[in-house]
């Protein structure tokens, strides 16, 4: 056999091998690595987002731009080191096209350098500290920011007899954002934060803090706790008779989370919060979303985490469609920027400059509707950009 012929045969064999190799098969698959807290204190966040992502896929099919969508769900137990290790493994070994999920701020931040280095879009569906999107140019957010939600309430409060406020927040990124932006705006509006209290994120005991608030007797207590922790605050607030002592409970909508609200009892009635999503949002798109979500999940009511996951999947699907599966991470990212659409929450868009979500923020009051407790929207501030980005 001549050398030329041997070379030809070798390369022909190689070509066949390449065709049959898993690398080739993989390019027909589009992998989304969904890292969520499926166990531990933020497990409700994981459950809601996973359910919403699966609903989106069931409704929109699992083939986009000729590629089969594969969702790989990983449990990070809300431990940032675990989140990072899982992200590394998903990028290096699974060769995921997109990283998504991220239940808490420290987990989202732990993955940012991996997104940057590997040029993998990181779609943050839950975590809500303002600065997250600045941690990597590959981060796009479909949840909300605490400054976005807090400022609206600080505009509402002084117009409604609430001048003196004590703030009580979980002592980490989103809580510190909530405390800062609520206080600044309330002070600007002529109100006053008389005391700013911070509770640990892990195993918080609200009792001594609430006792202090009772003694200080402000017009209202402003609260931020992450999704899943609202019931404990509400219970202890009522047990101490704070409402009877004339102290109102207000906060961002995380405290009257739709996931928990219905089990909080009548003590929650009248609580005013500001947020981007309520399961009671009266639009046709939301009614359809809530019904389909409940039907697929044993009557579970979707909360704001679910809507962040559902819209995150939409952003990924549409980016894949628009880039026709070409251009890798950069092509996808470019197609995520500037997306504008109607979410179950209302209109939203992904600001191309900041890669953060711009959306309506609603003022809501807990009311009983059809026998169930809901956050009923009574006012709206349109197209709110994250106030944390202006500085
Ligand atoms: C974060 C987590 C939450 O559960 C929430 O409701 C808001 C913010 C966070 O860690 O960023």
């Amino acid at each position: 056999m001549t050398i030329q012929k041997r070379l030809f045969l070798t390369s022909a064999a190689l070509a066949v091998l390449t065709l049959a190799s898993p690398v080739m098969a993989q390019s027909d698959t589009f992998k989304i690595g969904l890292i969520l807290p499926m166990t531990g204190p933020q497990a409700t966040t994981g459950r809601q987002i996973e359910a919403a992502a699966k609903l989106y896929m069931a409704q929109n099919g699992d083939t986009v731009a000729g590629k089969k969508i594969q969702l790989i769900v990983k449990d990070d137990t809300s431990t940032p080191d675990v989140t990072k290790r899982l992200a590394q493994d998903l990028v290096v070994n699974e060769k995921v096209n997109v990283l998504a999920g991220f239940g808490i701020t420290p987990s989202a931040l732990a993955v940012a350098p991996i997104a940057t280095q590997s040029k993998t879009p990181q779609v943050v569906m839950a975590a809500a500290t303002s600065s997250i999107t600045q941690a990597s140019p590959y981060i796009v957010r479909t949840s909300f920011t605490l400054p976005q939600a807090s400022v609206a309430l600080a505009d509402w409060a002084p117009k409604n007899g609430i001048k003196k406020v004590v703030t009580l927040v979980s002592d980490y990124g989103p809580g510190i954002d909530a405390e800062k932006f609520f206080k600044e705006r309330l002070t600007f509006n002529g109100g006053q934060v008389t005391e700013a209290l911070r509770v640990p994120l892990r195993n918080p005991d609200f009792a001594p803090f609430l006792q202090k608030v009772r003694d200080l007797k402000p017009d209202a207590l402003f609260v931020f706790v992450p999704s899943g922790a609202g019931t404990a605050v509400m219970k202890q607030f009522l047990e101490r008779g704070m409402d009877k002592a004339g102290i109102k409970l207000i906060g961002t909508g995380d405290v009257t989370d739709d996931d928990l609200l219905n089990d909080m009892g009548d003590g929650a009635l009248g609580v005013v919060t500001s947020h981007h999503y309520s399961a009671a949002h009266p639009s046709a798109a939301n009614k359809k979303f809530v019904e389909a979500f409940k039907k697929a999940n044993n009557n579970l009511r979707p909360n704001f985490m679910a809507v962040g996951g559902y819209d995150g999947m939409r952003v990924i699907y549409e980016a894949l469609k628009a880039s026709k599966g070409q251009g890798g991470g950069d092509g996808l990212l470019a197609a995520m920027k500037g997306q504008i659409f109607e979410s179950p929450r209302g209109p939203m868009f992904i600001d191309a400059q900041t890669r953060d979500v711009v959306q309506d923020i609603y003022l809501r009051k807990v009311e009983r509707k059809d026998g169930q407790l809901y956050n009923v929207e009574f006012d709206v501030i349109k197209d709110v950009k994250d106030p944390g980005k202006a500085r």
Side-chain angles (χ1 to χ4, degrees):
M1 202 188 288
T2 62
I3 286 181
Q4 279 82 359
K5 199 163 178 193
R6 192 172 291 158
L7 268 179
F8 172 77
L9 280 177
T10 315
S11 53
L14 266 179
V16 169
L17 259 182
T18 313
L19 271 177
S21 79
V23 179
M24 202 57 191
Q26 208 175 65
S27 69
D28 292 333
T29 307
F30 186 90
K31 292 187 180 181
I32 303 170
L34 190 61
I35 310 180
L36 294 168
M38 299 307 298
T39 54
Q42 263 75 41
T44 55
T45 297
R47 179 180 57 166
Q48 287 272 350
I49 294 181
E50 182 188 26
K54 290 194 166 154
L55 175 65
Y56 190 88
M57 290 179 72
Q59 289 175 334
N60 295 277
D62 63 358
T63 305
V64 180
K67 293 190 188 272
K68 180 105 174 145
I69 309 286
Q70 189 188 344
L71 194 66
I72 306 172
V73 181
K74 297 281 182 190
D75 177 12
D76 71 356
T77 69
S78 282
T79 311
D81 287 347
V82 177
T83 324
K84 188 170 181 181
R85 184 167 48 70
L86 290 171
Q88 240 148 8
D89 180 62
L90 286 167
V91 167
V92 174
N93 298 320
E94 292 283 355
K95 311 230 171 340
V96 293
N97 301 88
V98 175
L99 290 163
F102 312 104
I104 57 168
T105 290
S107 293
L109 292 176
V111 171
I114 298 169
T116 306
Q117 279 155 26
S118 64
K119 299 184 186 299
T120 309
Q122 181 186 350
V123 179
V124 174
M125 296 169 160
T129 302
S130 173
S131 64
I132 287 174
T133 41
Q134 286 151 354
S136 167
Y138 287 85
I139 292 180
V140 168
R141 173 158 40 202
T142 59
S143 53
F144 74 111
T145 78
L146 265 304
Q148 216 171 29
S150 306
V151 159
L153 198 62
D155 283 336
W156 174 85
K159 289 187 231 147
N160 290 274
I162 297 171
K163 295 274 202 273
K164 282 193 177 163
V165 180
V166 172
T167 58
L168 175 66
V169 302
S170 290
D171 191 5
Y172 76 121
I176 290 159
D177 266 2
E179 177 193 282
K180 178 174 174 327
F181 282 82
F182 179 81
K183 181 181 176 172
E184 268 182 24
R185 185 63 78 101
L186 187 76
T187 310
F188 176 80
N189 288 330
Q192 196 189 349
V193 169
T194 54
E195 189 86 33
L197 306 172
R198 295 179 183 177
V199 293
L201 172 62
R202 301 278 175 228
N203 306 313
D205 178 9
F206 298 107
F209 295 97
L210 290 175
Q211 190 53 49
K212 187 156 190 205
V213 177
R214 231 203 118 132
D215 298 341
L216 289 163
K217 224 176 165 309
D219 298 325
L221 173 66
F222 168 90
V223 174
F224 165 79
V225 287
S227 183
T231 304
V233 177
M234 185 68 75
K235 191 163 165 277
Q236 295 191 23
F237 184 87
L238 296 172
E239 273 172 10
R240 289 206 144 51
M242 315 269 285
D243 53 334
K244 301 215 170 62
I247 302 168
K248 289 200 170 67
L249 181 66
I250 58 174
T252 57
D254 312 70
V255 73
T256 54
D257 190 343
D258 270 303
D259 197 57
L260 309 169
L261 179 60
N262 210 22
D263 296 324
M264 286 185 188
D266 283 353
L269 286 170
V271 171
V272 171
T273 54
S274 52
H275 228 206
H276 58 294
Y277 180 68
S278 164
H281 179 63
S283 72
N286 186 49
K287 285 199 178 106
K288 204 172 137 222
F289 169 67
V290 173
E291 251 166 52
F293 188 95
K294 282 185 163 176
K295 196 160 167 227
N297 295 285
N298 204 12
N299 220 27
L300 177 69
R301 189 195 289 185
N303 70 356
F304 62 99
M305 293 301 183
V307 90
Y310 190 76
D311 292 335
M313 288 298 283
R314 190 225 183 253
V315 166
I316 296 167
Y317 265 51
E318 291 304 316
L320 178 56
K321 266 186 218 165
S323 61
K324 300 192 175 60
Q326 306 296 310
D330 286 311
L332 279 172
L333 190 78
M336 288 179 182
K337 292 178 185 176
Q339 281 195 32
I340 179 159
F341 58 96
E342 189 191 358
S343 150
R345 71 186 86 181
M348 79 176 246
F349 91 92
I350 303 295
D351 185 326
Q353 254 78 52
T354 61
R355 293 162 278 101
D356 219 335
V357 52
V358 178
Q359 58 193 334
D360 293 353
I361 296 293
Y362 306 88
L363 287 158
R364 316 95 50 84
K365 184 185 268 179
V366 177
E367 287 176 15
R368 196 168 276 290
K369 238 182 75 181
D370 308 326
Q372 298 199 19
L373 297 181
Y374 279 102
N375 294 297
V376 176
E377 295 165 358
F378 64 86
D379 203 358
V380 58
I381 301 98
K382 302 291 292 176
D383 300 330
V384 181
K385 275 192 169 196
D386 172 31
K389 297 290 186 299
R391 36 199 76 218

